[in-house]
Structures are given as C-alpha cells and as structure tokens.
C-alpha cells in the first residue's frame, strides 16, 4: 500500500501496539484543514495551477514534531501531492567553466595547512582561507564539476578527510577534537565556489545543534533506558521509511529540516566505510534531479551519522529558507513516504530510473 504524509494518522493507527507506543513517545503530530474562499475570477487560474478549486479551498496540513530534539516540520498536501520525478541530468554551462577556477589549481591558488597537504588519489587538502573554526580545511576534488560523482572518488574524499582528522588530532593532543565533515554542493546550499569540495572542521566545543541532539539522546537514555538513535530508526522502519545498505541504516526523516532529508546511522569506525551508502544516496538524489544539496557527517555515541538534504533548483532566485525555518518550523513540499518509495524500495520500478541501486 502506498501511503502519503497526509495519511499519517491512518498509518499510525495501523501500527502494532509497541510500534505505535514508540512512535507516540518520539513524535507528536496534528492534522488540520486550512480553508479559504476562491473568488470566481480566480477559478480558472486555480484549476490550471492546482488541478481543482476544492483542493485549494480545503488544504490538509500535517504538523509533526520530534519531542526530544524539537525538530518540527509542516507539510501541506497541496505542495506534497507532486510525485517524485526523475529528471534528466542538468547541463549548466557554469559547471564546466574552469577558467579562473582557483580550485582547479589548488597547490598554487589555495593555502596549505601548517602541517602541509594530504593528497588523495582524486583530491587534495587545503586550508580554508577564511576559517570559522581554528581547524577548518577543505578536501578539493580533482574533478571540477561537483555533480560528477563516482563511488571510488567519494571513498577517496572520505579517506583523505579521515587522514586530515588524524593529522589535526596529532597537532593538538591536549584537546579532544570532534570531527565534522560538511559538503555544501553548489550555490543553493551555501557554497561560494562551484568546484567540488568538502569542508572539514575539528573543534573541542560541541556545535550547538549537535549538542541538542546529544542531550536529547542522553535524556532519552535516562528516561527510557533505551537508545534514542536505535528507537528513532525503529519508528521509521515501522512506517516503511527505512532500509539498509551494507550495514548502514538509512531512513527518510519524518521531521526534515528541508526537502528530502535522509538520515544515515552507521556503526562504521571511519566515515569512508560509509562511502558505498553515501554514493548510492547521492546518485539517487541526482537521478531525481536534485541539483544542490547539503551533506554532513559527524559522530554521536558509537555512531557515525550522515544527514543530507535537497536545497532546490539552481534556477530559483528565492531562498528555500525563510523566517519560518530560521525561527519556527520547517515548511516542507516533499512527501517522505513518496521519497521512501522511490529511494528505498529495492524492487521499485518507480519514477527514478536508478532507484533500484538503493
Ligand atoms: Zn575548478
């Protein structure tokens, strides 16, 4: 049976007693209807734009909140009704313009870390010229176009990142540095340079948002003597939102920060052990027409956690993040259940041509 987020109430009702109990422990949600009157003069436009006047006059809103982290997402059926479609690869001439690209010549055009550079097979490290943490560097890909990816490249980027983390840890043994890896891909995601690159930071202080997650997990453990991360996965699995790849557990997140958010939990000792999963998820993203994304990898307890999110079309001039996202809750247009059907179903012959890969 194919579900959608607007039917979350029905899905939760159908869960076993235990699964429903766990869902209700972690999440609260509310489904309501937003109503309006459409003037006669608007009817044709509304029908053309949204299919029918009734759909617009009565809009189903799903508000769902993670009780432990406070993550809160608002889904509107009118927005989420669109299918997840496969799109042809984008051909943007900006992605091929290498002239004046500093990152195409990293050894002469970017600063080195004080301990030098680490060279991978398909990448090289550089120091970040304007740091936001005392240890803040870059993995610069040999490949200019950030939307060109290969599994062995991703594996090499992550391996090189791990070597960098080892190197900075040696340089300041007094501190217990926490590794943080982020990939802002293209301008919608906040990247200022087109050429493919991953950023690395290592800090003793836990970043605020990660501290919230760490605290949520600790509170949860204290209150229920159970693992927050494991239970979070169980809830998503019970709703058909989860899958596994080579021991890594993947789920489409119920309270996404923005579109198509995916959560990966892994017992991998190093992030490069997750390369196959990360590659497959990014490949699926690209097959769906995702053009710009954010990806992070960090550690929590005994886990490596990766989160990735679609940041919208490169052609859009408006930002996907407004006052709601900054100060209140995330407004989401993509349906996690539709995404799961495309992304996670092994036998799916659904829209994305390579969705079988995951
Ligand atoms: Zn370049």
């Amino acid at each position: 049976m194919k579900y959608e987020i607007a039917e979350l109430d029905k899905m939760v009702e159908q869960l076993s007693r235990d699964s429903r109990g766990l869902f209700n422990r972690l999440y609260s949600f509310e489904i309501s209807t937003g109503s309006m009157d459409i003037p006669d003069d608007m009817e044709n436009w509304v029908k053309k734009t949204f299919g029918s006047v009734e759909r617009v006059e009565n809009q189903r809103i799903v508000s769902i909140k993670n009780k432990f982290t406070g993550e809160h997402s608002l889904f509107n059926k009118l927005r989420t009704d669109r299918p997840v479609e496969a799109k042809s690869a984008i051909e943007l001439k900006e992605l091929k313009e290498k002239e004046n690209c500093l990152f195409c010549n990293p050894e002469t055009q970017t600063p080195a870390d004080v301990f030098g550079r680490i060279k991978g097979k398909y990448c090289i490290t550089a120091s970040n010229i304007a740091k936001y943490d005392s240890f803040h560097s870059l993995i610069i890909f040999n490949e200019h176009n950030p939307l060109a990816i290969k599994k062995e490249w991703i594996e090499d980027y992550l391996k090189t990142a791990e070597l960098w983390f080892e190197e900075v840890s040696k340089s300041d043994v007094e501190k217990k540095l926490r590794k943080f890896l982020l990939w802002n891909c293209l301008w919608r995601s906040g990247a200022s340079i087109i050429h493919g690159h991953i950023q690395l930071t290592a800090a003793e202080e836990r970043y605020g948002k990660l501290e919230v997650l760490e605290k949520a997990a600790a509170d949860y453990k204290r209150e229920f003597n159970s693992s927050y991360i494991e239970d979070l996965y169980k809830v998503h699995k019970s709703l058909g939102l989860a899958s596994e790849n080579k021991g890594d557990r993947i789920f489409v997140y119920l309270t996404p920060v923005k579109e198509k958010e995916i959560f990966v939990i892994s017992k991998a000792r190093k992030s490069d052990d997750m390369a196959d999963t990360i590659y497959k998820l990014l490949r699926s993203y690209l097959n769906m027409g995702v053009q710009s994304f954010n990806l992070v990898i960090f550690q929590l307890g005994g886990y490596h956690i990766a989160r990735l999110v679609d940041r919208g079309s490169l052609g859009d001039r408006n930002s996907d993040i407004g006052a709601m996202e900054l100060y209140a809750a995330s407004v989401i247009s993509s349906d996690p259940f539709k995404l799961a059907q495309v992304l996670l179903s092994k036998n799916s012959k659904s829209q994305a041509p390579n969705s079988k890969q995951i």
Side-chain angles (χ1 to χ4, degrees), residues 319-332:
S319 170
D320 59 337
I321 288 175
M324 278 300 288
E325 284 78 10
L326 289 174
Y327 298 117
S330 294
V331 180
I332 310 294

Side-chain angles (χ1 to χ4, degrees), residues 30 87 146 220 222 231 250 272 283 289 306 337 357:
E30 198 176 73
K87 293 180 186 158
Y220 190 90
R222 214 170 16 254
D231 287 355
I250 301 158
D272 50 287
R283 176 56 62 204
F337 291 91
Q357 289 177 336

Side-chain angles (χ1 to χ4, degrees), residues 96-109:
K96 291 186 177 163
E97 278 168 11
K98 298 183 186 178
E99 260 174 71
N100 308 320
C101 175
L102 301 175
F103 285 8
C104 274
N105 300 293
E107 288 182 84
T108 55
Q109 300 298 313

